Amino acid sequence: MSRALRTEAGAIGIETLGMTMRFGEFTALDDVSITVPAGSFHALLGENGAGKSTLVKCIMGFYRATAGELLVAGQEARMTDPRVAQALGLGMVYQHFTLVPSLTAAENLVISRADAPAVIDWRRERARLAAFMETMPFKVPLEQPVSRLAAGEKQKLEILKQLYLGNRFLILDEPTSVLTPDEADEVLGHVRGLTEAGEITVLMITHKFREVTAFADAVSILRRGRHVGGGKVGEISVEEMSRAMMGKAPEVSKRARAGTERREVMRLRGVRAQDRTGLKSIEIEDVALNSGEILGIAGISGNGQMELMEVLTGQRRTMGGEITVKGAPFGATRAEARTHRMRYLPEEPLRNACAPRMSVAENLAFRIFDEGRNGKPAFWKNDRAIARNATTLIEGFKVKTASPAARIASLSGGNVQRAVLGRELTGEVDALIVSNPCFGLDFAAVSTIRDRLMAARNAGTAILLISEDLDEIMELSDRILVMSEGQIAFETPVETADIGEIGRHMAGHGE
Ligand SMILES: Nc1ncnc2c1ncn2[C@@H]1O[C@H](COP(=O)(O)OP(=O)(O)OP(=O)(O)O)[C@@H](O)[C@H]1O
Ligand SMILES: [Mg+2]
């Protein structure tokens, strides 16, 4: 068999022929043909809504393509069901982890097998796992609960799990978005090694050009559902890639920081709350957020940032301490947030800030629907205002949607993010609390969103920016705090900030 179809070590190549996917009138994928030879590392690029996830869902059998064929190791495969993909050795690693946090790595691997027996003979399974691990080029601690592993370890474990399941063609959907840059390089380095050894073939969705040029062999680019370009890495420049993605040369944004008057908008003193596990707590000693500044909170995911966000949005009870807004006690109710003109962009906005079954227009109207004239509550829905508001925000934030009446859950991940941020940034906003606002966005959208945040800051909004992306924190913040083990471990103004020092505090060994 030729190398393109299957390597000696077992990696499988795939090919799509004229893959097409329609959702009603809307064509999400239009006649896409790509070839991913066995043992290669292929990148898939495209703006938010370009059709990347749709393409891989068709390959994996989560969607039944409207038209087109899939060849797996040269044979036509009928992807009627995700189990077919598994049986053929196709596997997928998602952006978010799918491991069970309270189980150990070993337990996670064993239970993930479709043929896992009802009663597990752990002695035998451990021996089997140990033998498997011997053949792997990298290791993960097997006997600790997954919740104790760092993000990079978890992502490595997700990949090991696929290999353990016998999958030889892996789709990685933005695998590094939850990793630090060092972790990302390490994980992708291992993936690269496995493709070079002919153990696996990889198709990776990413928004990061650096990952494409540093690790991939070839790239395919989608725009509006069409395959618009690609080629061998090294033969295609970053400029050509971004032009193919957007249909035009990328704009370079100049983001000016304007000096504004600083007033204290929000203050947290001795605020304590339980963390997700209920075993530990977070404690914020004294943090003030001022108007016209971006206060960045850096930290590795899982160090209490999520809990802090929940406290500020009224989704988690505090066990002590005090939050004040403009000097008055603040209990994070919806009414208070409205009075103080506070807005939020939580993580995973589809789950935490949307009504998934409602339309895009309705979701965009959450801030206005019960507001009548002069901002007083109205007791009926103003359909015309809702439509006008939707059109403005869809245009202003370039939300790609079939129509304002489409369900928000049908939008691509990046477009949900844009829609929610558009909604939260509209009107006069005194304080904005955001968590990983650019997670999963394409680079053009990242640039737009960061421009908007800076513009809001320059207009006097106080912004609390919780982010795992250190580049983002450095780019936008006026002051930087580091959160570690539920506490603020470090503070520095951006002018004198040192990345290495921040990194050490993030990792929990500052002094
Ligand atoms: N189940 C669905 N019903 C209707 N439309 C859909 C559905 N799934 C996807 N779409 C539409 O198809 C288009 C492509 O979506 P897809 O999720 O493939 O984009 P993507 O390239 O993965 O984007 P992102 O980078 O934001 O994740 C989008 O316009 C989206 O609204
Ligand atoms: Mg996607």
Side-chain angles (χ1 to χ4, degrees), residues 41-237:
F41 191 152
H42 199 99
L44 185 59
L45 278 175
E47 284 190 292
N48 293 130
K52 304 176 298 294
S53 294
T54 305
L55 176 64
V56 303
K57 283 178 187 165
C58 289
I59 294 174
M60 290 300 295
F62 293 114
Y63 288 157
R64 281 184 87 157
T66 314
E69 275 175 44
L70 175 69
L71 302 184
V72 177
Q75 306 282 318
E76 190 181 344
R78 292 241 147 263
M79 283 301 158
T80 44
D81 175 322
R83 275 171 302 184
V84 178
Q86 160 79 62
L88 288 169
L90 314 186
M92 181 144 171
V93 173
Y94 299 89
Q95 204 168 40
H96 293 281
F97 302 119
T98 60
L99 302 159
V100 185
S102 56
L103 298 183
T104 65
E107 289 162 342
N108 265 284
L109 289 182
V110 173
I111 61 158
S112 67
R113 274 184 9 224
D115 66 344
V119 180
I120 294 171
D121 175 353
W122 281 104
R123 244 198 20 218
R124 217 185 68 193
E125 294 300 342
R126 284 231 160 72
R128 204 170 136 169
L129 252 180
F132 163 76
M133 278 298 177
E134 278 304 303
T135 66
M136 288 295 114
F138 55 96
K139 308 271 177 274
V140 169
L142 283 178
E143 302 304 334
Q144 281 186 30
V146 163
S147 58
R148 283 210 222 124
L149 299 179
E153 304 281 352
K154 285 187 209 164
Q155 202 59 299
K156 282 194 273 179
L157 183 59
E158 294 276 5
I159 291 164
L160 285 179
K161 181 172 113 183
Q162 292 301 322
L163 295 166
Y164 180 70
L165 294 174
N167 292 332
R168 297 310 194 97
F169 176 89
L170 299 192
I171 293 173
L172 311 180
D173 193 348
E174 296 185 52
T176 62
S177 39
V178 293
L179 307 185
T180 64
D182 285 349
E183 285 176 326
D185 281 356
E186 200 211 328
V187 170
L188 293 182
H190 289 311
V191 170
R192 167 97 211 156
L194 287 165
T195 59
E196 277 171 356
E199 296 279 346
I200 54 172
T201 311
V202 169
L203 177 61
M204 172 174 76
I205 297 179
T206 181
H207 288 297
K208 297 175 187 156
F209 293 121
R210 197 190 66 81
E211 295 182 351
V212 179
T213 50
F215 297 100
D217 298 307
V219 54
S220 291
I221 301 159
L222 298 183
R223 173 157 40 97
R224 295 172 190 229
R226 294 219 172 91
H227 183 199
V228 290
K232 285 212 176 81
V233 169
E235 291 173 11
I236 179 168
S237 70

Side-chain angles (χ1 to χ4, degrees), residues 45-47 207 209 221-223 228 240-248 442-443:
L45 278 175
E47 284 190 292
H207 288 297
F209 293 121
I221 301 159
L222 298 183
R223 173 157 40 97
V228 290
E240 284 169 304
M241 288 191 255
S242 57
R243 201 152 1 108
M245 276 174 68
M246 302 196 299
K248 59 178 194 304
D442 65 55
F443 71 93

Side-chain angles (χ1 to χ4, degrees), residues 266 268 282 284 287 289 293-313 315 343-348 417 421 432-439 449-450 453 462-474 476-477 479-484 488 506:
M266 182 186 241
L268 284 75
I282 68 160
I284 310 293
V287 170
L289 175 66
E293 79 164 348
I294 299 180
L295 178 59
I297 299 198
I300 298 165
S301 123
N303 277 279
Q305 301 96 318
M306 203 190 279
E307 288 83 355
L308 173 60
M309 185 78 187
E310 287 169 351
V311 164
L312 294 175
T313 54
Q315 291 167 297
R343 300 291 173 81
Y344 305 101
L345 178 75
E347 231 163 285
E348 291 189 66
Q417 193 98 343
L421 200 71
L432 179 67
I433 319 278
V434 295
S435 174
N436 293 311
C438 296
F439 191 92
I449 300 277
R450 290 186 184 163
L453 290 174
I463 301 179
L464 187 70
L465 167 71
I466 301 174
S467 177
E468 285 154 39
D469 182 342
L470 202 46
D471 291 340
E472 175 165 86
I473 293 268
M474 294 294 289
L476 293 176
S477 309
R479 272 191 301 146
I480 299 170
L481 306 180
V482 175
M483 200 161 178
S484 169
I488 302 301
M506 282 168 65

